[in-house]
Amino acid sequence: MEDVVVKGVRKKTVQKKSVLKLISRDKYLLLFLLPVVVHLFIFSYLPILGISVAFRDYRIGDPFLAWGSDAKWVGLKHFIEFVNSMYFVRILRNTFFLSALFLIFGFWVPIVFSIFLNEIRHSLYKKVIQTMTFMPHFISTVVIVGIVVNFVSIDGIVNSIIQLFGGNREQLLNNPQYFRVIFIVSTIWQTFGWGSLLYLAAIAGIDPGQYESARMDGANRWKQAIHITLPGITPTIVILLLFTVGRILSTDTDKVLLMYNPSIYETADVIGTYTYRTGLLEGSFSYASAIGFFSAVVNFILLIFANSISRRYTEYGLW
């Protein structure tokens, strides 16, 4: 028994020394991670303390982190009020629809683009295409929305094309039935280039010997892409799909907020914009916090569910 204890202590000591050795070896690389860790702590973990506001009747001037009788606890009052709200079904439906539409029509675009881009052999042409497709990611959302608004305005290029085919000019962003199309198409254009970067990195990690063997067996480039490239990036596809499912109630609020107006609330009002109006414009901080917490919990449940399905039917998952 004593030998087992001694061996366990020795093993832990060796492991501790190994970890310290790795830290000492990679100390400069770890320093590069420090700004990221600080950013995550300040903007992702520290705000978790504000969850208590969702269960209180918080007003400006009240102690933010109060836990005693001064906290004015109300339990699930704000959650019940949100679920019973006349806007609950509308904003939940709109949020799910926008996320589902992007999942259906936008998720696969960077995958296909990265596979096709990988097949380009002319390096200069390849770099030009990458630069042009990556550029929208680095443009401010305000500028992107400004471009979109100009395109779909009455005098914009989209209306000019519609008129060319016999249609009538109209302010497309004032029509609820067009908002989802405009939002999804512009989001795909804005994100597919940058989204392909991870897939290109995954493709670069595939053993070149597999392609050489396939060519020797007579496989053309299309069959190589289907039977080698696509399976090679499947783990990346699954992980990014899980992340997308885990953000299904976190539609790009900034972009929707810049694009929508009261005339299209019917299809454009999502959880993020409703939280913005109730929290910042109306000053209902506890109610808005409850909405945000509700959204986070639903996202987390969907992520667990999607991860369990992925683990059951594939060998990939987040945990």
Side-chain angles (χ1 to χ4, degrees):
M1 184 67 180
E2 292 180 357
D3 292 339
V4 173
V5 173
V6 171
K7 289 180 179 179
V9 171
R10 287 178 179 174
K11 185 177 180 181
K12 290 181 179 179
T13 304
V14 171
Q15 289 177 344
K16 185 176 180 180
K17 289 181 179 179
S18 178
V19 171
L20 292 175
K21 186 178 179 180
L22 288 173
I23 293 174
S24 176
R25 185 192 69 183
D26 300 329
K27 55 181 179 293
Y28 296 113
L29 293 176
L30 293 173
L31 282 175
F32 281 103
L33 287 176
L34 186 60
V36 178
V37 173
V38 172
H39 180 275
L40 286 174
F41 176 75
I42 294 175
F43 294 102
S44 297
Y45 291 96
L46 199 59
I48 292 177
L49 296 173
I51 289 176
S52 63
V53 175
F55 303 92
R56 297 161 48 191
D57 239 344
Y58 179 80
R59 296 290 182 271
I60 292 293
D62 292 346
F64 186 68
L65 297 178
W67 296 97
S69 57
D70 295 335
K72 301 177 184 177
W73 298 103
V74 294
L76 299 177
K77 171 188 171 184
H78 301 299
F79 295 92
I80 296 172
E81 184 180 351
F82 173 57
V83 173
N84 293 330
S85 168
M86 61 183 293
Y87 303 112
F88 177 75
V89 175
R90 185 183 74 181
I91 63 175
L92 202 63
R93 180 191 66 230
N94 292 340
T95 307
F96 268 114
F97 272 11
L98 284 178
S99 298
L101 287 172
F102 181 77
L103 194 62
I104 295 170
F105 296 104
F107 180 79
W108 56 268
V109 175
I111 301 173
V112 174
F113 176 73
S114 62
I115 293 175
F116 277 105
L117 192 62
N118 184 63
E119 295 300 320
I120 298 176
R121 294 294 176 257
H122 196 290
S123 60
L124 180 60
Y125 183 54
K126 186 176 182 178
K127 289 178 180 178
V128 170
I129 293 178
Q130 280 185 302
T131 302
M132 291 175 63
T133 54
F134 286 8
M135 194 176 297
H137 172 79
F138 298 99
I139 300 176
S140 168
T141 303
V142 177
V143 177
I144 291 290
V145 172
I147 294 172
V148 172
V149 169
N150 284 328
F151 278 3
V152 300
S153 64
I154 293 179
D155 299 325
I157 187 172
V158 176
N159 269 302
S160 297
I161 295 173
I162 292 174
Q163 189 180 40
L164 184 65
F165 286 94
N168 297 319
R169 290 179 178 268
E170 64 173 306
Q171 187 61 263
L172 299 177
L173 271 180
N174 285 341
N175 193 326
Q177 65 179 339
Y178 296 137
F179 171 79
R180 288 171 182 159
V181 176
I182 296 171
F183 180 83
I184 296 300
V185 171
S186 62
T187 301
I188 293 173
W189 166 68
Q190 182 183 1
T191 59
F192 85 94
W194 181 256
S196 67
L197 188 62
L198 288 176
Y199 298 114
L200 289 170
I203 291 173
I206 298 175
D207 184 7
Q210 297 185 42
Y211 293 102
E212 185 64 29
S213 299
R215 281 192 293 269
M216 292 176 65
D217 291 337
N220 56 30
R221 294 174 70 176
W222 170 253
K223 289 184 177 179
Q224 290 175 40
I226 295 298
H227 299 289
I228 298 177
T229 306
L230 194 57
I233 63 174
T234 296
T236 305
I237 294 173
V238 172
I239 297 301
L240 292 179
L241 179 61
L242 291 175
F243 280 135
T244 303
V245 172
R247 297 193 302 266
I248 205 163
L249 288 187
S250 303
T251 310
D252 192 348
T253 303
D254 294 340
K255 188 174 180 182
V256 176
L257 199 61
L258 291 167
M259 291 178 65
Y260 85 153
N261 56 74
S263 64
I264 57 173
Y265 278 176
E266 180 185 343
T267 57
D269 198 18
V270 295
I271 288 180
T273 56
Y274 184 66
T275 304
Y276 167 78
R277 291 202 311 274
T278 56
L280 295 181
L281 300 184
E282 299 177 9
S284 301
F285 300 106
S286 293
Y287 185 61
S289 298
I291 299 172
F293 186 58
F294 170 84
S295 175
V297 170
V298 173
N299 280 336
F300 184 62
I301 293 173
L302 290 174
L303 179 61
I304 294 175
F305 179 69
N307 189 74
S308 63
I309 292 178
S310 176
R311 279 294 186 186
R312 176 175 297 181
Y313 295 103
T314 70
E315 57 184 41
Y316 311 114
L318 294 174
W319 59 81

